[in-house]
Amino acid sequence: MIKRELGAKRDVLPDVLKGFGIFLVVLGHCIQGSYNGADLDSSAYFDDALYQFIYSFHMPLFMVISGYYAWNSIHRADTVQKRWKMITKKCIYLITPIVAWKFFDFLYWYATGAYIYRGMGLLLIEFLTGVLANFWFLWAVLYSFILVCLMHYKFHDCIWLYVLVFIAMFFTPDGLGLMACKFVLPYYLIGFYVNKNKVFLQDKMFALGNENRTKWFAFLASGIAFGVLVYFYDADSFVYLTGYKLIGKAYSRQLQIDLYRFLVGLCGIGFWSLFWGILLRYRRRWEYGVRLLAYLGSRGMGVYVVAGIPAQFLVFRLAEDGKPVYGMNLVQTVFILFWSLVIVEVLSRIKGVRLLVGQ
């Protein structure tokens, strides 16, 4: 197992995967920003091939990693007091940046005159709904964490209750980002139970024969499956457009979309996890690259919440609207990541505000 040379000893692979994932998040937003020209359909990026490739697996990848780490925290909390402390800490950790950055967003739009004040009551309603829709991924992690805690501590991971939860998700509203939360929940559960049963899974892998041969076979199989599936990814595959629930839709078509989205994400996770795991065997040849990706991954949440600042004020205002040029999008991505990391490092060193960037 590859360990970090500095800090807490743990697999470097999850941090590398998070670094890879946050790079794709920013790149995807840069591609999206290129389609904001007045002469273009503002949602034309849903038909962009690279954008489709990125969104086919990158958020599910984050959820698998989040679920994987959640098992460690939940497993260690062996008393009621420790459990409540852990859950409270998790809520504060995730909700603080959601509320704070939405508050700053409201202040900015109010100060620039873009927000029309129509009374305190309406302001509070708009702020609350804005909070609930802000940073949907953090809400997804929180909802998934609370569900797993409840199922693990109170119902002993009852499989039938999980089945009922999955069925209910098809008949509950999709608003306020819930559609995306429902889409990524299964990946969180996969990560959680893989970590919980990793000894058993490792024994099964050894039982199949040569471990390296098994991993190479899984790598090739997942790569082929991912390549075939992602080829059919289109605008309807985005949960933001087609949603998740079945109510008011053609059941067979919606179930087909939901199943396809899940499978392409799962194959993408398998392929890229094995891909980076194989590369890490040869890390001495690109040690600085490993360190950079792992560092980026360790600051992933902070970059996720602040990347909009350099993107909005330093990149997109200087960029010409039009169809994306991937080379320019790559340069924009590096620029945004650099300044986002600067902001994260500065805020993380100020006592009392480090929670704003997940530190």
Side-chain angles (χ1 to χ4, degrees):
M1 184 180 291
I2 300 172
K3 304 292 185 180
R4 281 209 238 185
E5 293 182 7
L6 298 174
K9 292 185 177 181
R10 64 177 182 180
D11 267 334
V12 74
L13 178 58
D15 281 337
V16 169
L17 288 173
K18 287 193 295 180
F20 173 59
I22 200 64
F23 173 83
L24 293 179
V25 168
V26 176
L27 177 59
H29 288 169
C30 288
I31 294 173
Q32 182 176 338
S34 298
Y35 280 99
N36 288 333
D39 58 334
L40 294 172
D41 181 355
S42 61
S43 61
Y45 48 83
F46 287 119
D47 292 316
D48 185 274
L50 181 55
Y51 191 81
Q52 292 173 353
F53 166 79
I54 291 171
Y55 276 76
S56 68
F57 74 94
H58 77 315
M59 299 312 280
L61 176 63
F62 278 119
M63 287 300 285
V64 165
I65 297 171
S66 298
Y68 187 88
Y69 280 140
W71 164 250
N72 297 329
S73 300
I74 292 175
H75 177 65
R76 287 195 298 265
D78 53 2
T79 66
V80 173
Q81 184 179 7
K82 289 181 180 179
R83 291 169 185 174
W84 278 112
K85 182 178 180 180
M86 173 196 64
I87 294 172
T88 301
K89 183 178 179 180
K90 190 74 169 183
C91 290
I92 294 174
Y93 174 75
L94 292 171
I95 293 177
T96 298
I98 294 173
V99 176
W101 289 107
K102 176 51 65 174
F103 177 72
F104 296 148
D105 185 57
F106 259 71
L107 286 181
Y108 169 75
W109 291 115
Y110 183 81
T112 57
Y115 179 78
I116 300 176
Y117 180 75
R118 289 167 291 179
M120 181 59 67
L122 188 58
L123 173 63
L124 291 176
I125 293 174
E126 291 178 347
F127 179 74
L128 179 59
T129 55
V131 166
L132 293 175
N134 194 34
F135 296 135
W136 71 262
F137 176 76
L138 299 187
W139 282 116
V141 173
L142 181 60
Y143 296 152
S144 301
F145 181 78
I146 293 175
L147 174 63
V148 167
C149 286
L150 180 64
M151 297 294 285
H152 184 73
Y153 293 139
K154 295 296 184 182
F155 300 106
H156 309 290
D157 301 323
C158 177
I159 186 65
W160 296 112
L161 282 179
Y162 271 124
V163 171
L164 290 176
V165 169
F166 279 114
I167 293 175
M169 290 195 306
F170 290 109
F171 301 96
T172 53
D174 277 347
L176 297 176
L178 288 177
M179 55 190 175
C181 296
K182 291 187 286 186
F183 162 54
V184 295
L185 172 61
Y187 300 108
Y188 189 93
L189 298 178
I190 288 173
F192 180 84
Y193 286 105
V194 163
N195 196 358
K196 177 183 177 181
N197 300 290
K198 63 182 177 182
V199 175
F200 170 78
L201 295 174
Q202 288 170 353
D203 291 341
K204 285 294 183 181
M205 182 175 292
F206 285 125
L208 294 174
N210 184 280
E211 182 183 5
N212 288 332
R213 186 184 307 167
T214 302
K215 287 184 177 180
W216 276 106
F217 175 79
F219 170 69
L220 293 174
S222 61
I224 293 172
F226 176 63
V228 171
L229 288 171
V230 80
Y231 176 79
F232 296 99
Y233 205 95
D234 58 19
D236 285 345
S237 303
F238 287 91
V239 71
Y240 313 111
L241 296 182
T242 53
Y244 192 91
K245 67 179 183 180
L246 298 179
I247 299 175
K249 303 175 184 177
Y251 281 21
S252 60
R253 174 57 178 163
Q254 185 62 40
L255 283 173
Q256 178 185 347
I257 293 173
D258 290 335
L259 178 60
Y260 168 75
R261 271 195 296 248
F262 172 73
L263 291 177
V264 69
L266 187 63
C267 291
I269 291 168
F271 172 72
W272 288 106
S273 297
L274 291 167
F275 173 84
W276 287 106
I278 291 171
L279 282 186
L280 286 177
R281 297 181 182 180
Y282 310 100
R283 65 179 296 179
R284 291 184 180 180
R285 299 181 182 180
W286 61 295
E287 180 69 24
Y288 290 109
V290 171
R291 288 173 177 266
L292 180 60
L293 273 178
Y295 165 69
L296 180 59
S298 68
R299 301 293 188 270
M301 177 175 166
V303 173
Y304 173 68
V305 299
V306 306
I309 298 175
Q312 181 66 34
F313 297 103
L314 299 178
V315 174
F316 294 158
R317 288 190 177 185
L318 300 177
E320 294 184 1
D321 294 325
K323 293 183 178 180
V325 177
Y326 295 144
M328 179 58 66
N329 293 145
L330 183 60
V331 172
Q332 293 173 340
T333 298
V334 173
F335 187 84
I336 291 172
L337 287 174
F338 173 79
W339 284 108
S340 296
L341 288 170
V342 169
I343 295 171
V344 170
E345 288 298 332
V346 170
L347 294 181
S348 64
R349 283 166 170 72
I350 303 175
K351 188 176 180 180
V353 300
R354 60 188 60 175
L355 272 176
L356 297 183
V357 291
Q359 299 295 317

